[in-house]
Amino acid sequence: MAPAARARNPQAKLMAQEPSRNETIKQASRALRGTLQEGLDEIASGAISEDDQQLVKFHGMYLQDDRDLRPERAKRKLDRAYAFMARLRIPAGLLSREQYLAMDRLADDRANGTLRLTTRQTIQFHGIIKSNVRAALREVNAAMLNSIAACGDINRNVMATSNPYRSAVHRAAFETARAISDHLLPKSRAWYEIFIDDEKVAGGEPEDEPIYGQTYLPRKFKITIAVPPDNDVDAFAHDLSFIALAEAGRLVGYTVVAGGGMGATHGDPETHPAIAQAIGYCPADQAVAVAEAVVGVQRDFGNRAVRKRARLKYTIEDRGLDWFIAEVNRRLATPLQPARPFHFTGNGDATGWTSDTDGRHHLTLFVENGRIADRGDWRLKSALRTIAQTTAGDFVFTPNQNVILANLTDDEKPRVQEILASHGVVQGFSILRENAMACVALPTCGLALAESERYLPSLITRLERIFAENGLADQRVTVRMTGCPNGCARPYLAEIGFVGRNPGRYNLHLGGAADGTRLNRLYREDLDEADLLTVLGKLIADYAMKRGPAESFGDFVTRTGVI
Ligand code: SRM
Ligand code: SF4
């Protein structure tokens, strides 16, 4: 095509661009093997090659280093303190107590002694040194778990509104999450071969990948199932979400929304967060087919040249929603029907005890920023271990980094209460803290520009004071912080979002909806703590005086034109 014609046609321009380096790595990887075997066996360094660092993500791991130790090690001319982060695939966040106990042990024996609950209903381990990687994954495998495709350019862990024990509809949503997760797993046996010592595939030939092909997807891909009125999964933040429609206590179908995503880069207007848009409705038994069709469109049309523009949200933006819906329908035996209405009331977790109609009890336990550890008098890790050892309940991880101790009997309920109390795990946090989330950031995240998990708790203490001084101690407001603009704690959907810009400095975003259906907007850039508190102090005082009845903070700043 002539250059002039190409300039008028952005897609032709895209196709004319060279594929990114990652595309070449995937293509040459023999279904995600690369030289990972050799790299793990090599003992001279705690790291692996750069190409293998990209491939190991498909197996649920990242090579990281302890950034706190960087300056001192550099001074002493030492290599970085390398270690791996491993993320499990746990569809809808459900673990048996035996599985939880195995992961609790693994954290102590092979990682840094803590478990990190993520914003996508799973566990991360940090600090696994190279010589421990295989042993760690063998323990994961022995517990009937894996980390396959937990990271990488592929469909990740599938989320669903928490706790399948809550109702038949929740159970059905959970089953859908599991079915989609299984269906979209890669066929490659590389994970078993490299880490678990599986037999080599006959002739060492790479497997076919009927859904993905040898270059998998252009970028990560994320799916959730939401059961209204709860939007705990933040359905609009992901590439693809299914919003359940229930009739007479049965899940009958899903409104499908696509093209959400949080990631952005400071100062790059080509990148931005986006909320997913409705593309139609499907009966419940077609959800897997719809997921495969949407994945197929993104596989074929996603941007494989510029990784920053490679998510589904940009494919839809570049080609248009109508084109996208038509392309999805072309791949389905039965086209999508018009989207059905849905109503959400919030995107947080309600902490505390609930009981279901079978007389079982469930405790949603607040875990600050998802970190399960023993710290001083707060011995959460030991408490959860003891609960797993002495009750028969399950563990459900929530999209808000909390844990539900689920399916407990009448006898077990008081035992759980006793165990928590005797380990110093008393709840009763402010509603502000319970609705706050921070991403991991420093010291492990290689992309962090500022603190997040280690800083948010103290900032919340200061904000609690401001809310209390204004008579708003019981006001629910979502606060989310990330150490960089990638958006791992979904800060652009929060009523108050802090996005790391520089050490100790954050962009302030305001105006998300309390039910997660509206993006917030950038209000002020690069503020330190003193400025953040001054700016927010004034806005919170205004809110206390001028808000409408039951008006949320996010709605107030939007209505009054603050942003
Ligand atoms: Fe994330 C990259 C942690 C949920 C958007 N994310 C990372 C990495 C792996 C850093 C890296 O690439 O080197 C972080 C590892 C930190 C560490 O030390 O553990 C990281 N992301 C996390 C977790 C653990 C945050 C948490 O505190 O819970 C979450 C793990 C989820 C899981 O279990 O799978 C996590 N990440 C998210 C979410 C939220 C979600 O999906 O609901 C998002 C925004 C939604 C989205 O995908 O658009 C998110 N993470 C990113 C991005 C930006 C992607 C983009 O489209 O631009 C990156 C950077 C990248 O991919 O290049 C990233
Ligand atoms: Fe790291 Fe940024 Fe994600 Fe936080 S938001 S975990 S700093 S990539």
Side-chain angles (χ1 to χ4, degrees):
M1 186 183 287
R6 208 179 280 153
R8 283 195 303 273
N9 179 346
Q11 279 314 312
K13 208 162 88 186
L14 268 181
M15 283 154 70
Q17 286 176 329
E18 287 286 308
S20 71
R21 170 93 186 118
N22 289 59
E23 295 300 316
T24 320
I25 296 170
K26 287 182 272 182
Q27 180 76 54
S29 72
R30 295 173 302 114
L32 307 176
R33 288 166 175 81
T35 55
L36 276 165
Q37 286 273 19
E38 298 83 336
L40 286 177
D41 290 338
E42 192 264 324
I43 50 172
S45 152
I48 51 175
S49 76
E50 274 181 33
D51 286 5
D52 286 344
Q53 285 177 40
Q54 296 307 317
L55 292 175
V56 83
K57 296 179 189 179
F58 288 82
H59 305 301
M61 278 164 291
Y62 271 73
L63 179 69
Q64 303 182 317
D65 72 290
D66 187 329
R67 292 180 57 184
D68 286 349
L69 302 179
R70 268 189 205 174
E72 178 59 24
R73 289 181 73 91
K75 224 187 315 163
R76 291 166 53 206
K77 299 205 169 12
L78 290 172
D79 217 355
R80 289 181 177 181
Y82 289 114
F84 288 79
M85 174 273 273
R87 184 185 290 167
L88 302 187
R89 164 177 286 257
I90 309 178
L94 179 71
L95 280 195
S96 69
R97 70 189 193 96
E98 291 86 0
Q99 289 174 319
Y100 182 81
L101 280 173
M103 296 306 100
D104 173 80
R105 262 195 315 275
L106 193 160
D108 291 340
D109 296 348
R110 310 284 177 197
N112 70 356
T114 73
L115 297 109
R116 179 54 155 75
L117 307 186
T118 75
T119 52
R120 301 198 80 251
Q121 291 188 298
T122 186
I123 299 174
Q124 280 189 183
F125 300 98
H126 292 98
I128 305 178
I129 56 170
K130 191 161 95 174
S131 55
N132 268 336
V133 166
R134 282 200 179 99
L137 291 192
R138 283 182 196 138
E139 286 170 32
V140 167
N141 185 51
M144 312 278 281
L145 292 166
N146 65 66
S147 63
I148 299 172
C151 316
D153 299 344
I154 194 160
N155 178 54
R156 310 276 188 94
N157 195 40
V158 180
M159 300 211 276
T161 288
S162 296
N163 199 359
Y165 293 108
R166 264 167 78 184
S167 72
V169 175
H170 289 83
R171 185 81 206 176
F174 167 78
E175 296 297 352
T176 302
R178 213 146 60 173
I180 294 175
S181 173
D182 289 350
H183 187 72
L184 295 179
L185 271 176
K187 296 286 175 273
S188 172
R189 300 276 303 164
W191 188 84
Y192 295 96
E193 198 179 297
I194 298 165
F195 303 104
I196 318 292
D197 280 341
D198 201 12
E199 303 243 315
K200 284 255 177 345
V201 180
E205 284 305 306
E207 306 84 347
D208 277 344
E209 291 284 9
I211 294 180
Y212 294 111
Q214 292 301 318
T215 48
Y216 296 84
L217 294 180
R219 205 68 166 80
K220 57 179 69 169
F221 195 91
K222 299 180 175 178
I223 301 179
T224 77
I225 321 286
V227 181
D230 294 320
N231 187 19
D232 55 347
V233 296
D234 263 330
F236 304 98
H238 308 270
D239 298 277
L240 176 63
S241 288
F242 294 87
I243 300 172
L245 177 71
E247 280 172 6
R250 238 171 34 87
L251 201 166
V252 292
Y254 295 104
T255 286
V256 186
V257 300
M262 297 281 100
T265 304
H266 287 312
D268 181 352
E270 293 281 287
T271 66
H272 54 80
I275 55 169
Q277 304 173 70
I279 63 166
Y281 169 89
C282 69
D285 61 3
Q286 284 173 27
V288 173
V290 171
E292 183 177 333
V294 172
V295 162
V297 177
Q298 169 64 353
R299 175 199 60 210
D300 296 345
F301 294 97
N303 186 334
R304 289 186 185 260
V306 184
R307 284 182 69 74
K308 281 193 173 168
R309 293 275 305 176
R311 293 294 293 274
L312 180 65
K313 62 183 174 183
Y314 301 121
T315 314
I316 295 177
E317 189 175 293
D318 289 343
R319 292 179 171 259
L321 190 64
D322 291 343
W323 169 87
F324 177 71
I325 295 171
E327 191 59 39
V328 172
N329 280 333
R330 208 175 57 75
R331 292 159 194 250
L332 288 170
T334 319
L336 292 167
Q337 302 167 29
R340 308 280 168 93
F342 50 82
H343 175 65
F344 288 118
T345 52
N347 58 358
D349 288 345
T351 53
W353 287 98
T354 53
S355 302
D356 62 29
T357 45
D358 297 329
R360 291 297 178 130
H361 308 286
H362 315 278
L363 174 63
T364 304
L365 200 64
F366 171 62
V367 180
E368 192 157 34
N369 301 326
R371 186 66 68 176
I372 297 182
D374 283 351
R375 290 199 173 135
D377 293 340
W378 173 264
R379 292 190 300 123
L380 178 64
K381 184 159 181 296
S382 300
L384 293 181
R385 184 190 316 124
T386 312
I387 288 167
Q389 283 163 342
T390 55
T391 71
D394 285 336
F395 285 65
V396 182
F397 306 130
T398 81
N400 288 292
Q401 303 171 323
N402 296 319
V403 63
I404 301 175
L405 305 172
N407 204 23
L408 297 161
T409 60
D410 289 343
D411 292 347
E412 288 169 336
K413 182 176 171 180
R415 210 178 315 151
V416 165
Q417 280 166 322
E418 243 171 63
I419 294 167
L420 291 173
S422 65
H423 287 80
V425 183
V426 271
Q427 296 277 289
F429 295 98
S430 72
I431 191 157
L432 191 71
R433 194 175 296 274
E434 285 194 351
N435 284 287
M437 275 205 300
C439 71
V440 178
L442 293 163
T444 50
C445 179
L447 305 178
L449 305 171
E451 294 282 352
S452 187
E453 179 186 330
R454 297 194 294 195
Y455 171 51
L456 186 63
S458 66
L459 184 64
I460 291 289
T461 304
R462 293 180 180 98
L463 288 173
E464 278 169 346
R465 244 175 259 143
I466 296 178
F467 274 88
E469 279 161 15
N470 287 284
L472 295 171
D474 296 329
Q475 181 62 42
R476 180 192 179 283
V477 177
T478 47
V479 179
R480 293 174 178 180
M481 173 177 277
T482 54
C484 85
N486 282 315
C488 297
R490 302 186 287 271
Y492 310 112
L493 288 168
E495 291 174 86
I496 302 176
F498 301 105
V499 176
R501 177 102 215 194
N502 286 297
R505 305 184 79 90
Y506 298 83
N507 285 356
L508 176 60
H509 293 250
L510 297 176
D515 62 358
T517 52
R518 180 180 66 227
L519 287 175
N520 56 25
R521 289 164 65 186
L522 178 61
Y523 179 62
R524 292 276 189 277
E525 286 186 75
D526 210 22
L527 302 185
D528 64 11
E529 181 178 282
D531 287 343
L532 285 173
L533 293 174
T534 307
V535 169
L536 282 170
K538 189 179 162 326
L539 291 171
I540 292 164
D542 276 357
Y543 171 59
M545 284 186 301
K546 301 179 193 155
R547 73 196 153 131
E551 188 174 33
S552 68
F553 182 74
D555 286 353
F556 171 78
V557 290
T558 307
R559 174 179 64 81
T560 56
V562 171
I563 43 140

